[in-house]
Amino acid sequence: MGISRRSALKAMAVATATTVATTLKPQPTQAAAVVARPDAVGMLYDATRCIGCKACMSACNKANNLPPDTTLSGGLWQMPLDLNERTKNIIKLYKDPATGTRSFVKRQCMHCLDPACVSACMLGALKKGQFGVVSYDPDLCIGCRYCQMSCPFNIPKFEWSKVFPKIVKCEFCKERLAQGQQPGCCEACPTGAVIFGKYTDLLADAHARLAQHPERYVPTIYGESEVGGTQVLYLSHVDFAKLGLPTYSSEPVPTAVRQVFQEIYQGIIPPLALYALLAAVLMRSRRELTGEAHDREEQ
Ligand code: SF4
Ligand code: SF4
Ligand code: SF4
């Protein structure tokens, strides 16, 4: 036990030194164009094909072993108001009272090509890895919630009700992808409103739909350029802003995040050491309590 604690603290100290060195290294102020990695997968959501059945929401909970959020329905059916600690995927309804125009919109992590959450996480709990998926490692997370604050799409949620809270967000069903399966939401959709595929194929598909049916869509693909591009792409007959998808330029957010954090860190190197120590203590306590819980279960 003593050795592992020392190892953990040593590893934390090394990680902190590396983080400080990396963070304080001058960063380029001009954002380079972001290119999807060759193995990048994607999700294309076409709002004109969505009937709001929410099969994708149930499938998402099932794929992620999450209980449905039935709080607002008195325990009767899944009815979250927004993404939350039990909801990684949500279908919302937009309705224009003046014109009667309606549209559904699906929200989940966008799997940004250059994710701000990854840049903001000092301990590497969020990573962009295989297939371009932005995944989360709870064992490296200390609950600082910088990823939440940095996300331009307000995606990561926090388990406020738990003693050791984690971040909750769509990880593109990474376990299913590893087994050659498609994400739960895409598999469940009965109308093909949300489909899974290679990122470049889906982008080409979206362009083809726009070219073939210009009367059906607003003439852009949301996610093609916003914040440098996202692996989740949208087509719609309603302005994206009205659907709650924020308007952004093609400038990746991590550029700004890195600059802000660089300035913050320059003033807080001593507090950062304290932060690292606190992180080590928290992670050690969590491991000990988790170990005690396991011991109790085994007795
Ligand atoms: S949408 Fe937010 S949580 Fe998802 S990859 Fe982009 S920055 Fe990260
Ligand atoms: S990819 Fe998986 S986790 Fe993400 S929204 Fe779809 S079902 Fe949910
Ligand atoms: S399963 Fe498909 S059609 Fe049904 S709500 Fe989800 S995206 Fe829309």
Side-chain angles (χ1 to χ4, degrees):
M1 174 68 82
I3 289 170
S4 69
R5 281 183 196 169
R6 269 201 303 278
S7 303
L9 288 166
K10 194 174 161 193
M12 182 61 67
V14 171
T16 305
T18 309
T19 303
V20 170
T22 308
T23 309
L24 294 182
K25 212 166 74 179
Q27 302 287 335
T29 50
Q30 194 65 42
V34 190
V35 178
R37 40 187 293 162
D39 66 345
V41 296
M43 191 186 289
L44 171 59
Y45 173 77
D46 185 334
T48 68
R49 299 185 182 189
C50 180
I51 55 173
C53 66
K54 302 189 180 179
C56 55
M57 287 178 61
S58 303
C60 179
N61 278 60
K62 191 172 170 205
N64 289 283
N65 292 317
L66 286 170
D69 180 357
T70 59
T71 317
L72 282 180
S73 66
L76 291 177
W77 55 79
Q78 187 173 19
M79 199 175 149
L81 280 183
D82 208 339
L83 296 177
N84 60 39
E85 62 187 78
R86 285 194 269 168
T87 309
K88 294 185 177 185
N89 170 43
I90 191 165
I91 295 288
K92 295 185 176 183
L93 170 66
Y94 163 79
K95 202 166 149 188
D96 184 337
T99 63
T101 306
R102 290 160 54 101
S103 177
F104 294 100
V105 61
K106 182 179 186 298
R107 300 300 306 274
Q108 71 297 295
C109 174
M110 302 291 284
H111 296 277
C112 306
L113 294 182
D114 191 357
C117 59
V118 172
S119 290
C121 181
M122 286 197 283
L123 295 166
L126 284 151
K127 283 196 193 73
K128 191 160 179 76
Q130 192 182 20
F131 306 128
V133 168
V134 177
S135 62
Y136 170 68
D137 183 347
D139 289 340
L140 294 176
C141 176
I142 56 161
C144 67
R145 299 192 296 115
Y146 285 170
C147 56
Q148 264 196 310
M149 290 176 247
S150 67
C151 175
F153 300 102
N154 190 23
I155 298 299
K157 300 301 170 202
F158 196 57
E159 293 179 321
W160 290 104
S161 58
K162 301 255 175 90
V163 179
F164 296 114
K166 297 187 303 250
I167 289 292
V168 176
K169 75 163 203 76
C170 156
E171 296 178 77
F172 228 127
C173 284
K174 61 184 181 188
E175 292 84 7
R176 290 175 62 93
L177 296 190
Q179 292 170 358
Q181 295 177 294
Q182 58 175 315
C185 56
C186 301
E187 186 180 79
C189 180
T191 64
V194 60
I195 57 172
F196 168 75
K198 199 169 180 298
Y199 169 76
T200 46
D201 292 347
L202 292 181
L203 194 53
D205 184 352
H207 275 291
R209 292 188 203 185
L210 285 183
Q212 284 159 17
H213 296 288
E215 76 291 351
R216 193 179 289 171
Y217 298 106
V218 292
T220 47
I221 302 164
Y222 189 90
E224 182 174 22
S225 64
E226 283 76 9
V227 298
T230 61
Q231 284 173 233
V232 177
L233 303 165
Y234 287 80
L235 289 173
S236 170
H237 54 299
V238 174
D239 281 352
F240 297 112
K242 289 183 178 170
L243 299 183
L245 293 164
T247 305
Y248 287 119
S249 72
S250 58
E251 174 92 359
V253 175
T255 308
V257 169
R258 283 183 205 113
Q259 283 166 0
V260 168
F261 274 61
Q262 188 177 339
E263 281 170 23
I264 291 173
Y265 295 163
Q266 274 170 352
I268 62 157
I269 292 174
L272 190 60
L274 189 61
Y275 176 95
L277 185 62
L278 181 65
V281 171
L282 280 172
M283 290 172 83
R284 188 182 65 185
S285 303
R286 180 159 67 182
R287 281 197 199 101
E288 284 176 354
L289 280 169
T290 309
E292 281 169 17
H294 285 155
D295 290 346
R296 274 200 300 277
E297 277 168 20
E298 282 167 10
Q299 279 170 7

mmCIF file of all heavy atoms in Angstrom, residues 43 56-64 66 83 87-90 106-109 111 169-174 176-177 182-187 194 196 232, ligand 2:
data_model
loop_
_atom_site.group_PDB
_atom_site.id
_atom_site.type_symbol
_atom_site.label_atom_id
_atom_site.label_comp_id
_atom_site.label_asym_id
_atom_site.label_seq_id
_atom_site.Cartn_x
_atom_site.Cartn_y
_atom_site.Cartn_z
ATOM 1 N N MET A 43 -21.279 10.943 -37.081
ATOM 2 C CA MET A 43 -22.716 10.757 -36.919
ATOM 3 C C MET A 43 -23.366 11.879 -37.728
ATOM 4 O O MET A 43 -22.966 13.038 -37.593
ATOM 5 C CB MET A 43 -23.043 10.912 -35.430
ATOM 6 C CG MET A 43 -24.442 10.500 -35.036
ATOM 7 S SD MET A 43 -24.756 10.892 -33.295
ATOM 8 C CE MET A 43 -23.754 9.707 -32.425
ATOM 9 N N CYS A 56 -33.785 6.654 -29.926
ATOM 10 C CA CYS A 56 -32.335 6.846 -29.753
ATOM 11 C C CYS A 56 -31.988 7.146 -28.299
ATOM 12 O O CYS A 56 -30.915 6.769 -27.821
ATOM 13 C CB CYS A 56 -31.835 7.960 -30.663
ATOM 14 S SG CYS A 56 -32.717 9.513 -30.457
ATOM 15 N N MET A 57 -32.890 7.822 -27.599
ATOM 16 C CA MET A 57 -32.622 8.138 -26.188
ATOM 17 C C MET A 57 -32.647 6.870 -25.341
ATOM 18 O O MET A 57 -31.763 6.651 -24.512
ATOM 19 C CB MET A 57 -33.650 9.148 -25.666
ATOM 20 C CG MET A 57 -33.439 10.549 -26.200
ATOM 21 S SD MET A 57 -34.703 11.705 -25.620
ATOM 22 C CE MET A 57 -34.484 11.655 -23.852
ATOM 23 N N SER A 58 -33.657 6.052 -25.552
ATOM 24 C CA SER A 58 -33.730 4.794 -24.783
ATOM 25 C C SER A 58 -32.528 3.921 -25.105
ATOM 26 O O SER A 58 -31.924 3.314 -24.205
ATOM 27 C CB SER A 58 -35.005 4.026 -25.137
ATOM 28 O OG SER A 58 -36.119 4.832 -24.909
ATOM 29 N N ALA A 59 -32.189 3.855 -26.402
ATOM 30 C CA ALA A 59 -31.052 3.015 -26.806
ATOM 31 C C ALA A 59 -29.757 3.531 -26.188
ATOM 32 O O ALA A 59 -28.880 2.740 -25.817
ATOM 33 C CB ALA A 59 -30.950 2.995 -28.327
ATOM 34 N N CYS A 60 -29.643 4.832 -26.076
ATOM 35 C CA CYS A 60 -28.434 5.430 -25.490
ATOM 36 C C CYS A 60 -28.310 5.021 -24.023
ATOM 37 O O CYS A 60 -27.243 4.607 -23.571
ATOM 38 C CB CYS A 60 -28.487 6.952 -25.632
ATOM 39 S SG CYS A 60 -27.062 7.779 -24.921
ATOM 40 N N ASN A 61 -29.415 5.128 -23.291
ATOM 41 C CA ASN A 61 -29.368 4.731 -21.880
ATOM 42 C C ASN A 61 -29.014 3.246 -21.736
ATOM 43 O O ASN A 61 -28.227 2.873 -20.878
ATOM 44 C CB ASN A 61 -30.704 5.029 -21.197
ATOM 45 C CG ASN A 61 -30.795 6.480 -20.786
ATOM 46 O OD1 ASN A 61 -30.722 7.341 -21.637
ATOM 47 N ND2 ASN A 61 -30.920 6.752 -19.509
ATOM 48 N N LYS A 62 -29.610 2.442 -22.623
ATOM 49 C CA LYS A 62 -29.339 1.003 -22.550
ATOM 50 C C LYS A 62 -27.865 0.727 -22.854
ATOM 51 O O LYS A 62 -27.194 -0.016 -22.142
ATOM 52 C CB LYS A 62 -30.244 0.272 -23.564
ATOM 53 C CG LYS A 62 -30.236 -1.208 -23.405
ATOM 54 C CD LYS A 62 -31.272 -1.866 -24.292
ATOM 55 C CE LYS A 62 -31.049 -3.367 -24.279
ATOM 56 N NZ LYS A 62 -31.542 -4.025 -25.464
ATOM 57 N N ALA A 63 -27.360 1.356 -23.901
ATOM 58 C CA ALA A 63 -25.964 1.117 -24.295
ATOM 59 C C ALA A 63 -24.988 1.576 -23.215
ATOM 60 O O ALA A 63 -23.878 1.062 -23.116
ATOM 61 C CB ALA A 63 -25.666 1.841 -25.609
ATOM 62 N N ASN A 64 -25.417 2.559 -22.423
ATOM 63 C CA ASN A 64 -24.519 3.110 -21.406
ATOM 64 C C ASN A 64 -24.856 2.641 -19.985
ATOM 65 O O ASN A 64 -24.307 3.190 -19.021
ATOM 66 C CB ASN A 64 -24.556 4.641 -21.471
ATOM 67 C CG ASN A 64 -23.868 5.163 -22.713
ATOM 68 O OD1 ASN A 64 -22.653 5.193 -22.784
ATOM 69 N ND2 ASN A 64 -24.648 5.555 -23.713
ATOM 70 N N LEU A 66 -27.350 3.263 -18.201
ATOM 71 C CA LEU A 66 -27.835 4.393 -17.401
ATOM 72 C C LEU A 66 -29.333 4.212 -17.151
ATOM 73 O O LEU A 66 -30.085 3.902 -18.084
ATOM 74 C CB LEU A 66 -27.616 5.714 -18.140
ATOM 75 C CG LEU A 66 -26.187 6.244 -18.204
ATOM 76 C CD1 LEU A 66 -26.111 7.416 -19.175
ATOM 77 C CD2 LEU A 66 -25.709 6.663 -16.820
ATOM 78 N N LEU A 83 -29.670 17.381 -21.260
ATOM 79 C CA LEU A 83 -28.625 16.419 -20.938
ATOM 80 C C LEU A 83 -28.358 16.522 -19.442
ATOM 81 O O LEU A 83 -28.374 17.623 -18.882
ATOM 82 C CB LEU A 83 -27.341 16.745 -21.711
ATOM 83 C CG LEU A 83 -27.421 16.652 -23.240
ATOM 84 C CD1 LEU A 83 -26.105 17.078 -23.867
ATOM 85 C CD2 LEU A 83 -27.787 15.239 -23.695
ATOM 86 N N THR A 87 -28.432 11.262 -18.708
ATOM 87 C CA THR A 87 -28.880 11.447 -20.095
ATOM 88 C C THR A 87 -27.728 11.958 -20.948
ATOM 89 O O THR A 87 -27.337 13.122 -20.853
ATOM 90 C CB THR A 87 -30.046 12.466 -20.133
ATOM 91 O OG1 THR A 87 -31.030 12.076 -19.179
ATOM 92 C CG2 THR A 87 -30.662 12.553 -21.519
ATOM 93 N N LYS A 88 -27.197 11.076 -21.821
ATOM 94 C CA LYS A 88 -26.090 11.469 -22.696
ATOM 95 C C LYS A 88 -26.579 11.899 -24.069
ATOM 96 O O LYS A 88 -25.785 12.319 -24.903
ATOM 97 C CB LYS A 88 -25.118 10.293 -22.870
ATOM 98 C CG LYS A 88 -24.396 9.880 -21.600
ATOM 99 C CD LYS A 88 -23.377 8.793 -21.916
ATOM 100 C CE LYS A 88 -22.588 8.410 -20.676
ATOM 101 N NZ LYS A 88 -21.513 7.455 -20.995
ATOM 102 N N ASN A 89 -27.867 11.720 -24.305
ATOM 103 C CA ASN A 89 -28.426 11.984 -25.635
ATOM 104 C C ASN A 89 -29.860 12.445 -25.429
ATOM 105 O O ASN A 89 -30.607 11.821 -24.682
ATOM 106 C CB ASN A 89 -28.399 10.674 -26.440
ATOM 107 C CG ASN A 89 -29.160 10.761 -27.739
ATOM 108 O OD1 ASN A 89 -29.054 11.747 -28.456
ATOM 109 N ND2 ASN A 89 -29.933 9.735 -28.050
ATOM 110 N N ILE A 90 -30.232 13.545 -26.061
ATOM 111 C CA ILE A 90 -31.604 14.031 -25.870
ATOM 112 C C ILE A 90 -32.180 14.533 -27.195
ATOM 113 O O ILE A 90 -31.451 15.059 -28.044
ATOM 114 C CB ILE A 90 -31.656 15.147 -24.790
ATOM 115 C CG1 ILE A 90 -33.111 15.447 -24.407
ATOM 116 C CG2 ILE A 90 -30.945 16.407 -25.241
ATOM 117 C CD1 ILE A 90 -33.245 16.251 -23.125
ATOM 118 N N LYS A 106 -31.426 16.614 -32.078
ATOM 119 C CA LYS A 106 -30.725 15.659 -31.205
ATOM 120 C C LYS A 106 -29.475 16.329 -30.655
ATOM 121 O O LYS A 106 -28.739 16.965 -31.404
ATOM 122 C CB LYS A 106 -30.352 14.423 -32.045
ATOM 123 C CG LYS A 106 -29.649 13.293 -31.289
ATOM 124 C CD LYS A 106 -29.379 12.139 -32.272
ATOM 125 C CE LYS A 106 -28.822 10.906 -31.594
ATOM 126 N NZ LYS A 106 -27.536 11.075 -30.948
ATOM 127 N N ARG A 107 -29.259 16.168 -29.366
ATOM 128 C CA ARG A 107 -28.054 16.762 -28.769
ATOM 129 C C ARG A 107 -27.260 15.701 -28.016
ATOM 130 O O ARG A 107 -27.821 14.903 -27.273
ATOM 131 C CB ARG A 107 -28.429 17.897 -27.791
ATOM 132 C CG ARG A 107 -29.194 19.044 -28.413
ATOM 133 C CD ARG A 107 -28.442 19.743 -29.527
ATOM 134 N NE ARG A 107 -27.127 20.201 -29.155
ATOM 135 C CZ ARG A 107 -26.869 21.370 -28.575
ATOM 136 N NH1 ARG A 107 -27.859 22.196 -28.319
ATOM 137 N NH2 ARG A 107 -25.635 21.718 -28.267
ATOM 138 N N GLN A 108 -25.982 15.722 -28.195
ATOM 139 C CA GLN A 108 -25.023 14.855 -27.519
ATOM 140 C C GLN A 108 -23.655 15.480 -27.763
ATOM 141 O O GLN A 108 -23.566 16.516 -28.410
ATOM 142 C CB GLN A 108 -25.093 13.414 -28.071
ATOM 143 C CG GLN A 108 -24.550 13.225 -29.481
ATOM 144 C CD GLN A 108 -25.310 13.986 -30.536
ATOM 145 O OE1 GLN A 108 -26.459 13.703 -30.764
ATOM 146 N NE2 GLN A 108 -24.717 14.972 -31.199
ATOM 147 N N CYS A 109 -22.615 14.870 -27.244
ATOM 148 C CA CYS A 109 -21.275 15.391 -27.506
ATOM 149 C C CYS A 109 -21.046 15.473 -29.014
ATOM 150 O O CYS A 109 -21.469 14.590 -29.769
ATOM 151 C CB CYS A 109 -20.232 14.488 -26.863
ATOM 152 S SG CYS A 109 -18.537 14.938 -27.268
ATOM 153 N N HIS A 111 -18.050 15.587 -30.445
ATOM 154 C CA HIS A 111 -16.753 14.988 -30.785
ATOM 155 C C HIS A 111 -15.975 15.924 -31.728
ATOM 156 O O HIS A 111 -15.665 15.581 -32.884
ATOM 157 C CB HIS A 111 -16.941 13.564 -31.333
ATOM 158 C CG HIS A 111 -17.517 12.660 -30.286
ATOM 159 N ND1 HIS A 111 -16.757 12.042 -29.330
ATOM 160 C CD2 HIS A 111 -18.806 12.369 -29.977
ATOM 161 C CE1 HIS A 111 -17.539 11.377 -28.498
ATOM 162 N NE2 HIS A 111 -18.789 11.562 -28.865
ATOM 163 N N LYS A 169 -20.792 12.215 -20.286
ATOM 164 C CA LYS A 169 -21.013 12.717 -21.648
ATOM 165 C C LYS A 169 -20.946 11.554 -22.626
ATOM 166 O O LYS A 169 -20.372 10.515 -22.316
ATOM 167 C CB LYS A 169 -19.988 13.800 -22.019
ATOM 168 C CG LYS A 169 -18.612 13.266 -22.323
ATOM 169 C CD LYS A 169 -17.815 14.299 -23.067
ATOM 170 C CE LYS A 169 -16.694 13.658 -23.875
ATOM 171 N NZ LYS A 169 -17.115 12.997 -25.088
ATOM 172 N N CYS A 170 -21.521 11.737 -23.790
ATOM 173 C CA CYS A 170 -21.467 10.723 -24.849
ATOM 174 C C CYS A 170 -20.013 10.447 -25.219
ATOM 175 O O CYS A 170 -19.238 11.377 -25.448
ATOM 176 C CB CYS A 170 -22.237 11.235 -26.070
ATOM 177 S SG CYS A 170 -21.750 10.493 -27.636
ATOM 178 N N GLU A 171 -19.659 9.172 -25.252
ATOM 179 C CA GLU A 171 -18.308 8.767 -25.687
ATOM 180 C C GLU A 171 -18.400 7.944 -26.972
ATOM 181 O O GLU A 171 -17.564 7.091 -27.235
ATOM 182 C CB GLU A 171 -17.610 7.984 -24.583
ATOM 183 C CG GLU A 171 -17.359 8.813 -23.330
ATOM 184 C CD GLU A 171 -16.708 7.998 -22.236
ATOM 185 O OE1 GLU A 171 -15.494 7.746 -22.322
ATOM 186 O OE2 GLU A 171 -17.420 7.591 -21.306
ATOM 187 N N PHE A 172 -19.419 8.225 -27.745
ATOM 188 C CA PHE A 172 -19.622 7.602 -29.061
ATOM 189 C C PHE A 172 -19.747 6.092 -28.938
ATOM 190 O O PHE A 172 -19.365 5.355 -29.842
ATOM 191 C CB PHE A 172 -18.479 7.952 -30.031
ATOM 192 C CG PHE A 172 -18.958 8.415 -31.378
ATOM 193 C CD1 PHE A 172 -18.528 9.611 -31.934
ATOM 194 C CD2 PHE A 172 -19.853 7.651 -32.115
ATOM 195 C CE1 PHE A 172 -18.969 10.049 -33.171
ATOM 196 C CE2 PHE A 172 -20.301 8.068 -33.347
ATOM 197 C CZ PHE A 172 -19.858 9.261 -33.878
ATOM 198 N N CYS A 173 -20.284 5.638 -27.799
ATOM 199 C CA CYS A 173 -20.422 4.189 -27.576
ATOM 200 C C CYS A 173 -19.105 3.485 -27.899
ATOM 201 O O CYS A 173 -19.068 2.526 -28.697
ATOM 202 C CB CYS A 173 -21.563 3.624 -28.412
ATOM 203 S SG CYS A 173 -23.199 4.002 -27.759
ATOM 204 N N LYS A 174 -18.020 3.939 -27.296
ATOM 205 C CA LYS A 174 -16.688 3.432 -27.662
ATOM 206 C C LYS A 174 -16.567 1.924 -27.477
ATOM 207 O O LYS A 174 -15.865 1.256 -28.238
ATOM 208 C CB LYS A 174 -15.601 4.172 -26.871
ATOM 209 C CG LYS A 174 -15.707 4.014 -25.373
ATOM 210 C CD LYS A 174 -14.673 4.831 -24.631
ATOM 211 C CE LYS A 174 -14.842 4.603 -23.134
ATOM 212 N NZ LYS A 174 -14.037 5.474 -22.313
ATOM 213 N N ARG A 176 -18.969 -0.265 -27.923
ATOM 214 C CA ARG A 176 -19.641 -0.884 -29.074
ATOM 215 C C ARG A 176 -18.763 -0.757 -30.323
ATOM 216 O O ARG A 176 -18.646 -1.700 -31.102
ATOM 217 C CB ARG A 176 -21.006 -0.224 -29.302
ATOM 218 C CG ARG A 176 -22.035 -0.546 -28.224
ATOM 219 C CD ARG A 176 -23.331 0.236 -28.446
ATOM 220 N NE ARG A 176 -23.972 -0.085 -29.703
ATOM 221 C CZ ARG A 176 -24.913 -1.014 -29.857
ATOM 222 N NH1 ARG A 176 -25.347 -1.692 -28.813
ATOM 223 N NH2 ARG A 176 -25.440 -1.254 -31.042
ATOM 224 N N LEU A 177 -18.155 0.400 -30.515
ATOM 225 C CA LEU A 177 -17.284 0.581 -31.682
ATOM 226 C C LEU A 177 -16.144 -0.438 -31.653
ATOM 227 O O LEU A 177 -15.778 -1.019 -32.685
ATOM 228 C CB LEU A 177 -16.689 1.995 -31.716
ATOM 229 C CG LEU A 177 -17.635 3.194 -31.879
ATOM 230 C CD1 LEU A 177 -16.847 4.466 -32.134
ATOM 231 C CD2 LEU A 177 -18.637 2.975 -33.001
ATOM 232 N N GLN A 182 -22.253 -0.396 -34.269
ATOM 233 C CA GLN A 182 -22.456 1.042 -34.378
ATOM 234 C C GLN A 182 -23.046 1.577 -33.067
ATOM 235 O O GLN A 182 -23.527 0.798 -32.235
ATOM 236 C CB GLN A 182 -23.349 1.376 -35.564
ATOM 237 C CG GLN A 182 -24.716 0.738 -35.565
ATOM 238 C CD GLN A 182 -25.562 1.246 -36.721
ATOM 239 O OE1 GLN A 182 -25.607 2.437 -36.989
ATOM 240 N NE2 GLN A 182 -26.218 0.343 -37.408
ATOM 241 N N PRO A 183 -23.014 2.888 -32.861
ATOM 242 C CA PRO A 183 -23.566 3.439 -31.615
ATOM 243 C C PRO A 183 -25.028 3.054 -31.442
ATOM 244 O O PRO A 183 -25.770 2.900 -32.419
ATOM 245 C CB PRO A 183 -23.435 4.954 -31.816
ATOM 246 C CG PRO A 183 -22.371 5.129 -32.821
ATOM 247 C CD PRO A 183 -22.446 3.930 -33.728
ATOM 248 N N GLY A 184 -25.444 2.936 -30.185
ATOM 249 C CA GLY A 184 -26.808 2.521 -29.879
ATOM 250 C C GLY A 184 -27.849 3.421 -30.523
ATOM 251 O O GLY A 184 -28.851 2.939 -31.075
ATOM 252 N N CYS A 185 -27.630 4.730 -30.482
ATOM 253 C CA CYS A 185 -28.631 5.673 -31.004
ATOM 254 C C CYS A 185 -28.818 5.487 -32.511
ATOM 255 O O CYS A 185 -29.949 5.511 -33.009
ATOM 256 C CB CYS A 185 -28.241 7.113 -30.674
ATOM 257 S SG CYS A 185 -26.616 7.604 -31.260
ATOM 258 N N CYS A 186 -27.729 5.277 -33.236
ATOM 259 C CA CYS A 186 -27.819 5.136 -34.697
ATOM 260 C C CYS A 186 -28.473 3.809 -35.072
ATOM 261 O O CYS A 186 -29.253 3.740 -36.019
ATOM 262 C CB CYS A 186 -26.431 5.233 -35.324
ATOM 263 S SG CYS A 186 -25.595 6.789 -34.975
ATOM 264 N N GLU A 187 -28.155 2.775 -34.305
ATOM 265 C CA GLU A 187 -28.750 1.470 -34.588
ATOM 266 C C GLU A 187 -30.261 1.494 -34.354
ATOM 267 O O GLU A 187 -31.033 0.867 -35.076
ATOM 268 C CB GLU A 187 -28.107 0.410 -33.689
ATOM 269 C CG GLU A 187 -28.568 -0.998 -34.006
ATOM 270 C CD GLU A 187 -27.898 -2.007 -33.090
ATOM 271 O OE1 GLU A 187 -28.337 -2.157 -31.926
ATOM 272 O OE2 GLU A 187 -26.923 -2.636 -33.524
ATOM 273 N N VAL A 194 -30.624 9.576 -37.815
ATOM 274 C CA VAL A 194 -29.242 9.670 -37.342
ATOM 275 C C VAL A 194 -28.521 8.410 -37.799
ATOM 276 O O VAL A 194 -28.977 7.295 -37.553
ATOM 277 C CB VAL A 194 -29.154 9.888 -35.808
ATOM 278 C CG1 VAL A 194 -29.806 8.763 -35.008
ATOM 279 C CG2 VAL A 194 -27.707 10.062 -35.384
ATOM 280 N N PHE A 196 -24.598 6.443 -38.684
ATOM 281 C CA PHE A 196 -23.199 6.329 -38.283
ATOM 282 C C PHE A 196 -22.369 5.967 -39.507
ATOM 283 O O PHE A 196 -22.858 5.299 -40.427
ATOM 284 C CB PHE A 196 -23.084 5.221 -37.230
ATOM 285 C CG PHE A 196 -21.684 4.803 -36.924
ATOM 286 C CD1 PHE A 196 -20.855 5.606 -36.149
ATOM 287 C CD2 PHE A 196 -21.171 3.601 -37.415
ATOM 288 C CE1 PHE A 196 -19.562 5.213 -35.866
ATOM 289 C CE2 PHE A 196 -19.873 3.202 -37.134
ATOM 290 C CZ PHE A 196 -19.065 4.017 -36.356
ATOM 291 N N VAL A 232 -19.819 15.125 -35.357
ATOM 292 C CA VAL A 232 -21.273 15.018 -35.457
ATOM 293 C C VAL A 232 -21.723 16.149 -36.389
ATOM 294 O O VAL A 232 -21.368 17.312 -36.176
ATOM 295 C CB VAL A 232 -21.944 15.145 -34.078
ATOM 296 C CG1 VAL A 232 -23.465 15.112 -34.222
ATOM 297 C CG2 VAL A 232 -21.492 14.004 -33.168
HETATM 298 S S1 SF4 B 2 -23.118 7.480 -29.525
HETATM 299 FE FE1 SF4 B 2 -23.773 6.192 -27.794
HETATM 300 S S2 SF4 B 2 -23.464 7.515 -26.005
HETATM 301 FE FE2 SF4 B 2 -23.427 8.852 -27.803
HETATM 302 S S3 SF4 B 2 -25.533 9.583 -28.042
HETATM 303 FE FE3 SF4 B 2 -25.342 7.738 -29.323
HETATM 304 S S4 SF4 B 2 -25.982 6.040 -28.005
HETATM 305 FE FE4 SF4 B 2 -25.591 7.793 -26.671
#
